[in-house]
Structures are given as C-alpha cells and as structure tokens.
Amino acid sequence: MSTLDSAEVAVVGAGVVGAAIARDLAAHGVDTAWLEAGEDVGAGTTKANTAIWHTGFDAKPGTLEAQLVARGYERLIDLAPALEVPARADGAVLVAWDAEQADALEGILAQAETNGYHDCRRLDAAEVYAHEPRLGAGAHGGVLVPGEGLLCPFTLPLALGRQALAGGVRLHLRAGVEHATREQGPDGRARHRLHTSRGAVTARYVVNAAGLASAAVNRLLGHEGFTITPRRGQLLVFDGLARHLVRHVILPVPTARTKGMLVAPTVHGKLLVGPTAEDLDDPTATATTAEGIAALTRWARAVVPALAEEEPIAAYAGLRAATEHRDYQLFAAADEGYVCVGGIRSTGLSSCLGIAEHVLGQLAACGLEHDAPRELPPVRLLGPVGASGQPGAPPYLGDDRPRPCQDPAAVASDPSYGRVVCHCERVSAGELHAALADPLLPARDGDGLRRRTRAGQGRCQRFHCGARVDALLAEGRP
Amino acid sequence: MSAVPPHAAAADTGGGAVAAAAARSAGSVPTRRPDVLVIGGGPAGLACAAELARAGAAVELADRDATLGGVPATTAHRGFGEGLRRGATGPQHAHRLVTEAERAGASLRTETSVLGWADAGDAGDAGDAGDGGDGGDGAWAERATTTVEVTGPTGRERLAPAAVVLATGCRERPRHARLIPGDRPAGVLTTNQVQQVATRHPGGAAAVGRRAVILGAEHVSFSAVHTLASLGCETAALITDLPRHQTLAPLRLATAGVRGVPVRTSTRLTGIHGHGRVEGVTVRPVGATRSEEIACDTVVVTGDWVAEHELARRGGLVLAASTGAPRVDRALRTTRPGVFAAGNVIHPAETAAVAAAGGRAAARAVAAFLTSEAREGADAAGAGLATRWRTAELPVTTAWPLQWVAPDALGLAGEVPSVVDTAVLRTAAVVEGRLVVSQDRRVLWRSRRQRLVPNRSLRVPLPDLEHLDPTGGRVEVRVSRRG
C-alpha cells in the first residue's frame, strides 16, 4: 500500500481533543501528521456537545479529569480571544429543587474547594430568583458558580485546527485507521505504521485521540484496559427570541450517574436544554426519540415556564465516549511511543488544552524531542473587518459581536457582506464564500458550512435560504 | 473571575442592540425619513406600496430577498391573480404586482434587510418589552418609534418613516418545531425550498431525491406533489394526522390523484431515519400501537403556517399564541404606535389575492393616519404617539375548535378608519356546525350550517362598533353544533 505520510508524530482523531494536541505539537515545531476518519474537523462527538465551558468545580476530586479541566479552562482564558473562539464566563446557578437536594449543596461547595475552585457561593431561594427571575417555582436554594461559562463547540476545534495547519501540521481527512503495525524505520529505530483507507502513515509516536473509536484504536495498537459505552445525550435548542429568558447556565444537583439536564444560553444567542443520558451499544445511534424530546420539553418548562410558549428550532443527539472507569483513560506506553487519550467525555471541550499540554509532557517522557514553544501565526476570523479582517476565513459566530452585515465598515469594504442569504442567522453571501474558500480548512459540505457560518441554523430551518445555500455550495465546492 | 475577558453579554442575536452598537461605533449610519416604510415585497407589501404611492405618499418598500414577489415569485404553478386574471403563474403574478407598484412611484428595494428597531434604550431586548408590552405600557411605548436599522449591499442605514407596514409574510412550520424525532439526515425540506430549487436555484437540486414522503395534506402539500414531480421526484404518500385531506377535490385529483399517490389520513409521522441521507420514515395510524416504515430519500414538511414575526416580536408587538401573528385591529394597526401589519403575517396563510387585498386595505388606513390628528404631538420618528394609539381595545377571541382569527381586535372608532369588514379564521378539527359571532351571550351573526375543515379559509363579518355594547365583554367567534 502507498505511503500517505511519514511524520514524527501521528495524531489520530480530529475532534476538539485531537485539534488541541495537533495545535500544541505545531507550537513546539513537531513534524505532525493528523488523521481523521470523517470528512471534517470537529464533526463527530465534538459538535453535539453541550457547549459549556467547565471550571471543573464539580469534577471528581483527585482525578486527572478534574486536573485537566481546570488547566484547560485556564489556558482558554488567553487562547479563546486570540483564536477568536466565542467564550463567555457568564456563570452558572446550580439549583436545588427540593429539600433533599438543598442538603447536598454544602457537599457541592466543599467539593469545589477540594478541586481548587474557590469562587462558589451558596444562594438562598430569594437569591436564586434574583439571579434568574424567570425560573419556575420551587427552588430551595442554590450555588452560584461565577466562572462557569459557554463555548462555541463548532469554532473551537476549527480554530485550533486552522492554527495547527498554519503551523505546519498535515491533516488527512477520510483516513480512518484500519490496522497498525510496528516496523523498523530507515534510521534503524522502531516506528508505527498506521494503515488507513487512503494509504499508510508512518510515525515514531502515535497519539490516539479517536473519541468514540478510541477503545478500538487502542486495541489496534495492542492495548486493552477500557471499552467505550456510547452514552447518548439528546438536546433541544430554542430560538434566539427566547434567549433573554435565562442569564446563566442553570444546573441541576448532579446524581451519581449524570450531571443531569441543564438549561443554558449558547454563545450563538440560543437556549439549549439537555442532555439526557442513555447508555447504548450502538455507536451510530445519534437519533433523537419521542421519549427524549418529551423529557427535554418537560424539563425546559419546569425550569423556565415561559419556554412553554417557545418553539424549538433544533433537536439533536450526541454520543459521549463513556467508559467503565470514572476518569479519562490517558496513559503512555513509553517504550512503544504511544499515548492513549481515551474516554474523554463531554468535559473534553473545556479540558482539551489541558489534555494537549499533558500529552506533550507524556510524549517528551517517551523520548520525543521538541523545540521550546513558539508563537503560532495568528489565525484571525472574518470581521469585524476594522478589528481583524482577513479574507478567506469564516466569520466569528458569537452573539457579542455584530455579524458583518450589521457592521457598516464591513459592508463598506465588501458589498457581499450586506447581501444577507440566511436571514434568521444574518449570514451574508460574503461569509459563505469565505467559508468555502478558506485556504486552511474550507467547508466541504452543508454540515461544514453550517458549523462555520450558522447558515440554515435558525428558526425557519432553511425555508428561505436552503436552496440558495445548497446552490452556492454546489458551485463553490473545490 | 476577573481574569476572564469581559465579553459583552448580548441578549440578542443580530437584532437591534448589537446592530445599533455596531452603528454607534462606526458613527456614520445615515438616516432617511420616507413617509412610509413597507417591510416585505410579497403580494401584501407590493399592493400596499402601490396604493400608498398612488395616494401621493413617499413610500419605500424593503425586501430582504434578491427578487421581489414573495412566495408567488418561486411558485411555478398557475392559479394566481385577482378577479378574472386568476390563471397566472406565481412569477407572472408577482411581476404584475411589481410593475404596478413601480408605475405608481413606490421606491422598491431588494436585498435590503431590516435588522431591528432603533428604539431609545435597548431596542434589541424585544423579548422583555414583549412580555409587558401590551401597548398600554407607557414607559415602553414612549420609547417605541418607527425607526429601523437596515442593511444591504449598498451599506447600513437607518430609516425613520412616519409609519411602518409589516408585510413579512409567513413560513411553513419546520420539522424540529413539530418535535419530530429521529436522525438528522440531508433531505428533510419544506415546500418552499423545493419550489426555489424548481424556479430559482437549480444548483440546489441535490437536496431533492427520487422518492418523497410529504407531511401534511393541505393545499401546499398537494402543490408539493406537483413540484416534486417536475424535479423527477415521485411522492410515496402524504401523511396527515387529521381524518381527511384539507384541500379542494380538483387540486387533490390533479396532483396526487392522477399519480395514484395515497393520502394517509389519521396517521402520524413518528420518526425520520437515515445516516447522511434520508432512508425512510416511520408512521403510525392514530390509536394504533404498531408503526410501519416507508422507504424514501426525501421528506417534505409542508404547511402548518406560522407568521414570519421576528420584527414584530423584536418590536414588542402583542402576538397571537398559535400563529405568532401580530395582533391587529380593523384598521390593521398593531399594538405598536405607527406600525401596521397586513397579509400573511397576520393570517398565515391565505391566497396571494387575499394578501394583496389586505395590503391595499392597510394602505387606506396608513394614508388616513398620515394626515390624522393622531400624529400631532409625535416627533418625526413617531415617539409620543402612544396615548392616541389604542389597538388592544375590544379583542376578538376564538373558542375550540377554532384556532385563530384575524383581525383579532376591533379597536376604537377614531382618526383611522376601519378598513377591514371581514375576519379570516381557522379551525383545528373537522366539525359540522355554524360559525357564530357574539358579544357576551348576545349573537351578532350566525353562518349557515357547514362543514369546517382545518387549513381551509373561513370567514366571518366583523361587527360594526355601533352594534356592540361598549361596556360589554369581548367579542367571540365560536362554532355552534346545534341547529
């Protein structure tokens, strides 16, 4: 079989975790091949995340997950603005809905302290309603978590990935690993040979960040220790016209099994409810169910009664890579040059940069030599043009900045930014063209275009723009 | 967390607040002041603009699309028009309306998006204004103006007309708003998307497959059978949870009938399946416990119209719960001073002819308003109108199985004349009976006995104010099954 690539390090998986690792490898000047079985970066389990920027206040103390979520949170404070990833620490209110739950609040506060998060504050019932006036009746009290926030699960992997590519990483899409062998390289040292559908990739070191497939890839590399049980989470999204109903992330008191269903704003100005938690055997079961949607609707109305009057604009399901263990499955086989990053659940969005730093340390312990970290070229997004315009880049998706069509300077610079195609989400023709023409990570299909621009993601669900966007995509596809 | 960058917490995607902030930061968004701004260039908006221009008003029409004409402009089949000219295709009909408005002297602008209201304070947070904004909320109403933020390829601007007519039309209720579970494959469409592929964007044809299941059995659902066929896509079945189809027999015959397409009545769509592309749907007869599969690669979710109400809602207008349509009175005044509404945004969905007639009626009310004393004391942008603008008076309500009625208020006699003497309404269930208009228990009007069918246009005359008890209760439209 032909050789697709030959690198010092091969990273398997282009979810948010793989993207953060690839980005850090680029920052350290490491020769890296990056493999993804699917069609795009961030298109698997990452895109169906609950989009919460976790502080780690409620993590299981002493776990690697607790440590890496806290570290990932910290790194994102600087990197999110630099990468122009929408991220906002609006805070969370954890609400106790009965006396028994209220009794658990002190334990939650103590757990946050143990985790090194010291900003939590106990709220009495009146304070809960002062923070969230639209909350349904019956709150017994709560905990304020000021640093808990919101992230864009679409932009984060793409921005990390774009910076990795700008830093020299080579991405191979539709290159799922089918089997793996060990061989002797031309310099006489042992190396991996990863056989993919597009050819073989040789690498001294392999990082397995394959998400739902991480256990399978782990076995291909000759290791055991964990299995993935996909845990389905169904989510319901309400239109932006309902956004004002909630100010913070509204968390329930967690149970032993799940963190429970939250009601949260999104950085895109929507309102999200979920996730459910259903253990499944089928790693492709991303369907929503009548029962799941009914449970989400009930919960939405119980937490924020005014949501009974609002229409959902999307329902979707994601699969979390749950394992039989209570922690990430992150370990290195030093003599083989293999690092496994398995069982990264929904916290991966927040912890990805903590994981990347940890993985770099593990690779160094395996013998990888790398440069001191360098500044990667900035990867700016489109608009507002006055601030950071760079042609051929997708737009900023957060609702805290105007879209190019709203920005007089952007429209003056290019009339196509004033030509609105998706009216619900205010996406202009200029942005769609830019996302298709991005030299680093162009949109290749409708789903990719939606994640980069939000076209068609609004309340009309493509009634107005679907045909035109599809036609643009058909024309503009490379 | 002081280390966290202080991102602004905007409670508004793309509406007034962020847009206005962008405009302020840029500092140089020009303002223009036409007499009237008509928002929406479908039949209602075009007819309204034509009529106002003829009456001598400086009227500007803004449509966000690149082509004027609204939904008819993308609907290739015949049957459009008013009076004797009912044989036109949608694009022909749209062309006639555009020509009429142009000749009358209206300024028609395409690719012009109205982003939101430029109220003093925070126009973008319309949600909160809407909660208490019943038109009588003085603090809010005093801030409410008719000034809007606009964008387009020629740049950003602000329009401060004396009156606004919302003619933003309606859209089909999409899949997720109907809570249909299952996968999210490509190939789940609305009728309008299919029509746009057929008439305007052939490059989007990949979305339309070879075999479709249509959800709905109202007029537009049968029209979809025809449009799909023109694109080489056969229809496997139409699915409706109602006990009968809701169109006219000739339309059913000409579309589904001649092609032998079954109409599955009293049947629910319980799931959509497929990875990548639609592979099939599951349906279940009402009351049955077993589902069955229908193989298809396309699902068209049709009808069940909802008002395109974003601007109405951002402006804090009172809306009807079932359709999201703004409340209007017999002068087609909304609850926001200086703002009128006409066409399918108030009655989703009537024919293009009915929408156009509504647009013309609104023009008469607006023309009267422009010269009325109601404008006295108001500044150029409309602030200060509130005290004389009282449309929430005398609401008209419906009782089950009736879903909605428009206009849904009578308003008070005053400077602005009553321009609508008939209300349109819908029933949610098939029922035999008489439509009755009453105030308290006093019957004001009663129809002949008829079969009322959902998704079909029903009408009642609106009572004249002199026939009402001014101290009495609300006016109600209901169905009487007796006699």
Side-chain angles (χ1 to χ4, degrees):
Chain A
M1 192 181 229
S2 64
T3 299
L4 179 62
D5 202 346
S6 193
E8 186 74 358
V9 177
V11 178
V12 182
V16 73
V17 173
I21 294 167
R23 185 252 169 222
D24 274 9
L25 285 167
H28 286 85
V30 178
D31 172 41
T32 304
W34 188 19
L35 312 183
E36 165 58 39
E39 305 274 332
D40 202 355
V41 171
T45 221
T46 296
K47 72 174 179 187
N49 194 279
T50 40
I52 302 300
W53 186 11
H54 293 286
T55 54
F57 81 97
D58 58 349
K60 188 172 192 261
T63 58
L64 193 58
E65 182 178 16
Q67 178 195 326
L68 298 182
V69 168
R71 178 62 187 142
Y73 182 95
E74 203 176 275
R75 285 193 71 195
L76 261 173
I77 291 172
D78 293 329
L79 266 178
L83 291 170
E84 298 193 276
V85 171
R88 291 220 304 262
D90 288 352
V93 176
L94 187 147
V95 182
W97 292 102
D98 59 34
E100 194 185 329
Q101 290 180 2
D103 289 342
L105 295 178
E106 289 306 327
I108 289 167
L109 287 166
Q111 186 175 353
E113 290 293 326
T114 313
N115 281 326
Y117 184 78
H118 306 297
D119 296 342
C120 282
R121 188 158 70 78
R122 179 82 159 83
L123 303 175
D124 63 26
E127 289 171 316
V128 168
Y129 287 104
H131 279 82
E132 287 294 342
R134 307 302 190 115
L135 221 53
H140 280 239
V143 169
L144 179 69
V145 193
E148 205 78 350
L150 319 167
L151 274 175
C152 177
F154 311 128
T155 317
L156 181 57
L158 289 167
L160 292 167
R162 292 171 84 242
Q163 205 174 30
L165 299 189
V169 169
R170 299 179 298 281
L171 173 65
H172 304 286
L173 296 171
R174 295 175 298 279
V177 177
E178 289 163 352
H179 66 278
T181 49
R182 294 279 282 164
E183 63 181 24
Q184 198 172 38
D187 59 356
R189 293 169 62 193
R191 65 180 186 182
H192 297 271
R193 177 173 280 264
L194 303 176
H195 303 265
T196 81
S197 45
R198 292 185 52 208
V201 174
T202 59
R204 183 89 51 216
Y205 304 93
V206 169
V207 179
N208 167 13
L212 288 168
S214 57
V217 170
N218 193 46
R219 277 192 299 277
L220 291 180
L221 283 138
H223 290 265
E224 298 287 334
F226 69 100
T227 50
I228 299 278
T229 305
R231 180 170 295 164
R232 180 165 63 191
Q234 302 186 43
L235 296 137
L236 205 55
V237 182
F238 287 88
D239 185 34
L241 293 168
R243 162 68 181 87
H244 67 282
L245 294 172
V246 160
R247 297 173 182 172
H248 306 80
V249 178
I250 300 179
L251 302 169
V253 173
T255 67
R257 189 171 152 274
T258 163
K259 288 186 176 183
M261 288 194 277
L262 51 83
V263 177
T266 74
V267 289
H268 314 120
K270 307 290 183 278
L271 217 56
L272 183 133
V273 180
T276 59
E278 309 150 57
D279 288 331
L280 304 171
D281 296 326
D282 180 358
T284 64
T286 51
T288 54
T289 63
E291 299 73 30
I293 290 176
L296 293 167
T297 307
R298 272 197 310 275
W299 183 247
R301 291 172 183 187
V303 174
V304 183
L307 279 175
E309 305 296 321
E310 303 291 340
E311 280 199 343
I313 56 167
Y316 61 93
L319 297 173
R320 286 103 97 183
T323 68
E324 60 274 51
H325 306 287
R326 297 249 2 223
D327 200 355
Y328 291 168
Q329 295 302 296
L330 214 167
F331 57 84
D335 47 344
E336 296 165 34
Y338 170 60
V339 179
C340 177
V341 190
I344 310 298
R345 295 172 287 199
S346 60
T347 50
L349 196 68
S350 303
S351 64
C352 62
L353 285 160
I355 292 173
E357 196 177 70
H358 187 80
V359 166
L360 265 285
Q362 299 238 330
L363 285 170
C366 292
L368 174 72
E369 290 169 10
H370 59 69
D371 307 340
R374 56 174 172 143
E375 280 285 313
L376 285 172
V379 178
R380 307 309 299 248
L381 294 179
L382 180 75
V385 168
S388 63
Q390 175 171 308
Y396 180 81
L397 298 184
D399 71 342
D400 53 340
R401 287 191 205 164
R403 292 294 290 232
C405 77
Q406 297 169 311
D407 180 354
V411 178
S413 77
D414 183 345
S416 72
Y417 296 133
R419 199 159 274 138
V420 179
V421 175
C422 166
H423 304 294
C424 302
E425 298 296 307
R426 312 244 193 262
V427 186
S428 65
E431 292 157 89
L432 292 167
H433 288 304
L436 289 165
D438 177 1
L440 289 171
L441 269 177
R444 291 172 173 83
D445 55 20
D447 184 47
L449 196 58
R450 285 191 282 282
R451 277 184 286 111
R452 285 163 176 83
T453 65
R454 297 199 55 73
Q457 296 294 80
R459 68 185 72 82
C460 93
Q461 299 277 293
R462 297 162 53 80
F463 174 91
H464 289 291
C465 71
R468 186 168 170 197
V469 171
D470 286 350
L472 271 175
L473 185 65
E475 278 167 32
R477 214 192 309 252
Chain B
M1 295 301 297
S2 55
V4 177
H7 296 296
D12 179 314
T13 349
V18 171
R24 271 196 299 278
S25 67
S28 62
V29 173
T31 301
R32 287 187 304 106
R33 300 178 188 281
D35 291 338
V36 186
L37 172 66
V38 178
I39 304 174
L46 288 167
C48 183
E51 201 77 18
L52 277 164
R54 266 199 288 271
V59 54
E60 215 165 277
L61 179 148
D63 193 284
R64 60 193 191 177
D65 209 342
T67 313
L68 290 166
V71 168
T74 61
T75 312
H77 63 74
R78 295 188 178 277
F80 286 91
E82 294 165 72
L84 293 173
R85 301 193 298 180
R86 287 188 60 149
T89 65
Q92 286 168 345
H93 180 60
H95 181 71
R96 267 180 211 156
L97 288 165
V98 171
T99 308
E100 182 197 344
E102 271 171 352
R103 287 199 183 136
S107 161
L108 308 179
R109 302 172 60 194
T110 54
E111 294 190 313
T112 303
S113 295
V114 178
L115 297 168
W117 306 86
D119 291 341
D122 187 359
D125 202 2
D128 278 337
D131 292 329
D134 62 358
D137 178 341
W140 168 77
E142 283 305 313
R143 285 196 279 124
T145 72
T146 49
T147 306
V148 295
E149 304 283 348
V150 173
T151 193
T154 55
R156 276 288 313 277
E157 61 180 338
R158 188 170 290 153
L159 290 182
V164 167
V165 181
L166 293 177
T168 48
C170 61
R171 57 183 169 82
E172 294 168 291
R173 197 186 300 272
R175 178 245 174 122
H176 289 300
R178 304 188 199 204
L179 301 177
I180 300 166
D183 297 316
R184 299 211 302 164
V188 182
L189 318 170
T190 56
T191 315
N192 191 54
Q193 184 176 346
V194 178
Q195 285 168 339
Q196 287 201 34
V197 169
T199 56
R200 194 180 287 173
H201 298 296
V208 181
R210 305 304 299 271
R211 183 178 154 89
V213 165
I214 292 176
L215 179 60
E218 54 183 286
H219 302 319
V220 68
S221 323
F222 290 90
S223 167
V225 174
H226 178 79
T227 311
L228 286 167
S230 76
L231 294 167
C233 181
E234 65 165 343
T235 300
L238 292 92
I239 311 290
T240 175
D241 56 4
L242 291 166
R244 52 160 292 165
H245 73 75
Q246 306 106 53
T247 193
L248 306 171
L251 178 55
R252 187 198 71 80
L253 188 65
T255 54
V258 296
R259 294 183 177 86
V261 177
V263 181
R264 302 283 304 268
T265 55
S266 299
T267 300
R268 290 183 204 287
L269 182 63
T270 52
I272 295 175
H273 313 294
H275 287 104
R277 177 90 205 178
V278 173
E279 289 158 21
V281 298
T282 46
V283 300
R284 187 163 63 213
V286 173
T289 51
R290 299 258 316 259
S291 292
E292 65 180 281
E293 301 267 339
I294 303 176
C296 61
D297 60 9
T298 305
V299 177
V300 185
V301 178
T302 66
D304 195 5
W305 302 92
V306 290
E308 190 62 272
H309 69 187
E310 179 179 355
L311 279 174
R313 191 158 173 194
R314 288 193 185 284
L317 278 61
V318 173
L319 307 177
S322 60
T323 55
R327 163 171 290 173
V328 290
D329 68 4
R330 293 189 62 176
L332 296 178
R333 292 182 297 183
T334 71
T335 53
R336 182 171 172 124
V339 179
F340 297 75
N344 281 342
V345 71
I346 64 164
H347 44 55
E350 292 282 318
T351 64
V354 171
R360 290 184 216 284
R364 292 196 292 281
V366 172
F369 167 73
L370 290 175
T371 56
S372 74
E373 292 174 14
R375 295 262 316 131
E376 280 179 23
D379 70 17
L385 265 176
T387 51
R388 286 165 179 269
W389 184 278
R390 304 173 65 133
T391 48
E393 313 283 342
L394 294 175
V396 182
T397 59
T398 53
W400 174 263
L402 299 180
Q403 275 176 303
W404 54 261
V405 59
D408 54 351
L410 297 175
L412 294 176
E415 292 95 344
V416 180
S418 178
V419 293
V420 180
D421 56 13
T422 310
V424 293
L425 58 147
R426 292 285 187 280
T427 177
V430 180
V431 58
E432 296 265 351
R434 297 170 187 277
L435 288 169
V436 176
V437 181
S438 58
Q439 184 186 28
D440 302 324
R441 294 208 156 270
R442 196 162 62 93
V443 173
L444 302 168
W445 181 86
R446 179 186 277 126
S447 76
R448 63 178 174 76
R449 198 171 168 76
Q450 57 186 305
R451 174 184 285 179
L452 308 175
V453 177
N455 298 319
R456 293 256 286 262
S457 184
L458 305 171
R459 269 149 219 285
V460 296
L462 285 167
D464 288 329
L465 292 174
E466 56 261 37
H467 296 145
L468 294 177
D469 174 359
T471 61
R474 63 189 181 188
V475 172
E476 186 185 62
V477 188
R478 64 189 163 83
V479 179
S480 166
R481 304 192 199 203
R482 289 168 302 160

